[in-house]
Amino acid sequence: MTKPTPIDEEIILDPKRYIVSETDAKGKITYVNDYFCEVSGYSEEELIGQPHSIVRYPDMPKVVFKLLWENLKQGKNINAVVKNLAKDGRYYWIFTEFEIRKNTDNGEIIGYHASRKTISKHVIEIITELYKELLTVEKSDGVDASEKYLNAYLKEKGDDVTFANLMEEIHRFY
């Protein structure tokens, strides 16, 4: 499936509804709710079996997803602000809560559950600037350099601030 060409038009989400999806351990979509289909513009049939990156907006820094996957593979749930790409090229900002799904018999990670909700314009303004800087560094010097930039940014916030902490703080206070 080819990715759509992004256009500069935001989809405004209903603050009373959640976008929900589940993936297998490798990030392939196994479940989507109706609101996910409605917002993304894809049918359930088009989404099931696809990598979740099908809705990844191209100006999202790769380092964000690197950190998400690192946390999830360590068995840690994580929250993140993400800009997604709809089938028609529009975008939508969401606050996503990623949760691990485990095999009840042996505790092995079998997949992930993500529920998403709308976020305030204030959060988008804050995170957009950071993500732009990360993407600029990433394009010129790679993902590792982008991660170093992010770590320096987090260090300025406090010695013990991590990406996960920052996302949690955004979730709590905004």
Side-chain angles (χ1 to χ4, degrees):
M1 188 178 302
T2 59
K3 281 209 168 213
T5 302
I7 58 174
D8 189 22
E9 185 179 330
E10 184 174 5
I11 298 170
I12 305 302
L13 301 179
D14 180 344
K16 295 179 181 151
R17 297 179 73 189
Y18 278 81
I19 294 171
V20 179
S21 65
E22 291 184 356
T23 68
D24 64 15
K26 297 195 186 271
K28 291 203 184 228
I29 299 171
T30 58
Y31 169 80
V32 291
N33 71 346
D34 291 342
Y35 193 48
F36 187 106
C37 293
E38 181 183 325
V39 171
S40 72
Y42 290 101
S43 69
E44 180 179 1
E45 294 75 25
E46 289 174 301
L47 290 168
I48 301 296
Q50 293 295 321
H52 210 287
S53 61
I54 190 172
V55 293
R56 184 178 298 169
Y57 201 87
D59 67 4
M60 274 298 298
K62 289 181 176 88
V63 69
V64 171
F65 297 101
K66 178 182 185 273
L67 295 172
L68 286 172
W69 278 107
E70 284 174 1
N71 276 272
L72 291 170
K73 287 179 180 178
Q74 292 173 16
K76 301 175 189 171
N77 294 336
I78 188 169
N79 300 318
V81 176
V82 178
K83 184 179 184 181
N84 278 348
L85 178 67
K87 185 178 181 179
D88 64 5
R90 294 182 297 160
Y91 66 91
Y92 53 101
W93 282 100
I94 50 175
F95 184 84
T96 304
E97 299 172 0
F98 296 92
E99 297 176 2
I100 296 159
R101 293 184 307 123
K102 293 184 178 183
N103 180 316
T104 54
D105 295 332
N106 62 15
E108 176 184 339
I109 296 173
I110 58 171
Y112 307 98
H113 174 90
S115 59
R116 302 156 187 89
K117 62 183 179 180
T118 189
I119 52 177
S120 74
K121 291 292 179 195
H122 180 64
V123 169
I124 293 169
E125 289 169 8
I126 293 169
I127 212 72
T128 297
E129 289 308 310
L130 173 60
Y131 284 5
K132 277 183 189 175
E133 285 299 319
L134 292 173
L135 193 62
T136 299
V137 171
E138 210 167 88
K139 285 181 178 179
S140 65
D141 300 318
V143 175
D144 289 342
S146 181
E147 187 172 5
K148 285 180 186 171
Y149 179 93
L150 177 59
N151 288 336
Y153 173 88
L154 294 170
K155 182 94 171 143
E156 287 177 16
K157 302 268 180 213
D159 285 337
D160 59 347
V161 177
T162 65
F163 179 73
N165 298 139
L166 178 67
M167 292 295 118
E168 188 61 36
E169 184 179 315
I170 286 171
H171 175 60
R172 239 188 327 232
F173 297 109
Y174 301 103

